[in-house]
Amino acid sequence: MKHSVICYGLSVLLCCTALSGHARTSKNLKRQTPSSTLTEAMAGYLEGAKEQKLNIQSVMVLQHGKVLYENWLNGGEAQKPHVLNSVSKTFTSAAVGLAIGEGLLSLDDKVISFFPEDLPAEVSEGLKKVTVRNLLTMNSGHDTEPDRSKAETWAKAFLSHPILHEPGSYYCYNSMGTYMLSAIVQKLTGQKIVDYLQPRLFDPLGIEPPHWDESPQGINCGGWGLYLKTEDLAKMGQLLLQKGKWHGKQILPKEYATEMTRKQVPCQPSWIRADKVAESGLTPENSDWVLGYGYQVWRCRHNAYRADGAGGQYIIVIPDKDAVVINTADLQDMQAELNLVWKYILPALK
């Protein structure tokens, strides 16, 4: 990072002043002055990020539904939507949960039933078995992620990719599987998921209509391409913490929100094969990537869970502390970024 220690200290001071001095609209989360313990912890957090050259662009800490700390740095801006990369997946999962709640589909629906026009000439027995649940848990049976450039449409690329494992038995990080979820919801509702979510999720949370990248077929990418502001992410984290409830109203079906955030399947980082985890040196004690995967949500250490995206985008939910931590960033070492949360922020949340 380019900022000096003095600049970081000034950022902390200015942030605390902003918390107590700015008027907020009803669409914003409530603010509360942080404790001296948290203020000191955040100074350590920022200094730790500086020492490790972690280009963190925003951080927001909520507890009991109120923002205790917020800061934008290194080019981050409070009112500028940030690219979310794979944090987008969690919002796609929410769209699936809402569609399930409306009776439009079920977890056990077969994926091929939605794409008769995109199926390969010969449909394998494995492909016939792939369900919505398998897409949500990245257990479609693929050994590698489908290449969307390999066919006329992205759906055809996914459906023609070989199924080498029994669906439901093998975790393979699969952004194209999330795209298929987006395509399914669009087929069922006649709306892109960004539009489907607007009255059902974004409006209740006070989130302005966002941009979401699309495929050449006019379908939101699902697994990536959504842009939101830091506070928008905080609202989503708080919604998940409250099991889908917002201001007393059940926005996301409670059962789905519960299952979405608990461990459904074993997992590993996208860059490691399932059969190579043992030799990778990653363990539940030193890694937040081997603790299980829900419905497009990762489990973490400390009984937490998260949405995460390449470059250091995080919605971290810590139920044991009734807390949410948000990060946007532009960095490579995402484990180091999480380690700072566990080292400095977690202990300061009483």
Side-chain angles (χ1 to χ4, degrees):
M1 290 184 178
K2 298 179 180 179
H3 293 277
S4 67
V5 176
I6 294 175
C7 289
Y8 274 91
L10 181 59
S11 294
V12 174
L13 178 60
L14 290 175
C15 173
C16 295
T17 302
L19 284 176
S20 60
H22 284 183
R24 301 286 175 174
T25 68
S26 59
K27 291 185 178 180
N28 290 100
L29 294 163
K30 294 181 179 179
R31 265 64 179 174
Q32 182 172 309
T33 303
S35 67
S36 59
T37 300
L38 181 60
T39 299
E40 292 172 7
M42 295 312 301
Y45 167 92
L46 292 174
E47 179 58 22
K50 177 180 180 292
E51 289 175 353
Q52 296 183 56
K53 296 181 171 60
L54 297 177
N55 187 17
I56 293 171
Q57 296 176 330
S58 75
V59 57
M60 182 175 283
V61 180
L62 287 72
Q63 192 173 37
H64 312 315
K66 296 179 181 179
V67 178
L68 302 183
Y69 179 91
E70 56 190 318
N71 200 352
W72 288 265
L73 54 160
N74 298 319
E77 298 177 30
Q79 297 306 315
K80 182 179 180 180
H82 199 287
V83 62
L84 302 187
N85 298 323
S86 287
V87 169
S88 308
K89 292 178 170 67
T90 302
F91 288 85
T92 299
S93 179
V96 171
L98 287 163
I100 289 172
E102 293 174 5
L104 299 178
L105 80 162
S106 76
L107 291 171
D108 296 320
D109 283 346
K110 299 295 192 292
V111 172
I112 62 170
S113 69
F114 300 104
F115 303 96
E117 71 282 3
D118 291 312
L119 295 175
E122 293 186 16
V123 179
S124 70
E125 291 303 310
L127 182 57
K128 292 177 184 178
K129 296 178 182 179
V130 180
T131 64
V132 170
R133 188 193 309 271
N134 296 149
L135 297 185
L136 285 166
T137 59
M138 299 199 177
N139 267 242
S140 57
H142 291 125
D143 192 69
T144 57
E145 182 173 0
D147 183 344
R148 59 183 180 270
S149 69
K150 295 295 186 181
E152 179 185 353
T153 69
W154 288 11
K156 285 183 178 180
F158 180 90
L159 294 165
S160 64
H161 198 68
I163 302 288
L164 301 184
H165 305 275
E166 181 71 15
S169 70
Y170 186 86
Y171 180 89
C172 172
Y173 193 79
N174 198 330
S175 293
M176 282 298 291
T178 313
Y179 170 76
M180 296 298 283
L181 292 171
S182 175
I184 288 170
V185 174
Q186 183 163 328
K187 278 181 172 285
L188 291 172
T189 66
Q191 293 180 292
K192 297 172 184 178
I193 58 172
V194 71
D195 298 320
Y196 178 71
L197 286 173
Q198 193 61 50
R200 295 166 174 83
L201 180 72
F202 296 141
D203 283 345
L205 270 55
I207 296 175
E208 297 175 356
H211 171 79
W212 202 327
D213 292 343
E214 301 176 3
S215 71
Q217 291 76 52
I219 299 168
N220 291 135
C221 295
W224 66 96
L226 180 61
Y227 290 73
L228 289 171
K229 293 176 284 191
T230 302
E231 187 159 346
D232 298 334
L233 300 182
K235 292 173 181 177
M236 185 61 171
Q238 189 65 30
L239 179 74
L240 294 176
L241 178 61
Q242 296 168 177
K243 299 191 181 301
K245 184 174 285 190
W246 191 257
H247 292 325
K249 182 178 179 181
Q250 198 70 41
I251 301 300
L252 188 63
K254 182 177 180 180
E255 181 179 357
Y256 185 85
T258 301
E259 292 301 302
M260 177 180 175
T261 58
R262 78 174 184 86
K263 179 181 177 180
Q264 298 288 339
V265 296
C267 66
Q268 74 279 342
S270 60
W271 59 90
I272 296 176
R273 290 176 53 86
D275 54 4
K276 300 294 184 181
V277 174
E279 63 190 64
S280 71
L282 301 182
T283 70
E285 290 72 37
N286 66 24
S287 172
D288 288 286
W289 269 266
V290 294
L291 289 154
Y293 198 74
Y295 297 155
Q296 310 283 287
V297 173
W298 296 84
R299 294 294 305 181
C300 304
R301 290 175 288 176
H302 309 291
N303 192 37
Y305 54 86
R306 74 186 188 279
D308 78 26
Q313 324 319 315
Y314 281 127
I315 301 173
I316 306 165
V317 181
I318 313 171
D320 293 353
K321 298 286 189 176
D322 194 27
V324 176
V325 177
I326 305 301
N327 272 138
T328 61
D330 182 12
L331 51 81
Q332 295 297 317
D333 193 342
M334 293 178 65
Q335 184 62 72
E337 185 183 10
L338 275 174
N339 289 344
L340 287 178
V341 173
W342 306 142
K343 181 177 179 179
Y344 292 101
I345 300 178
L346 181 68
L349 297 171
K350 302 299 183 182

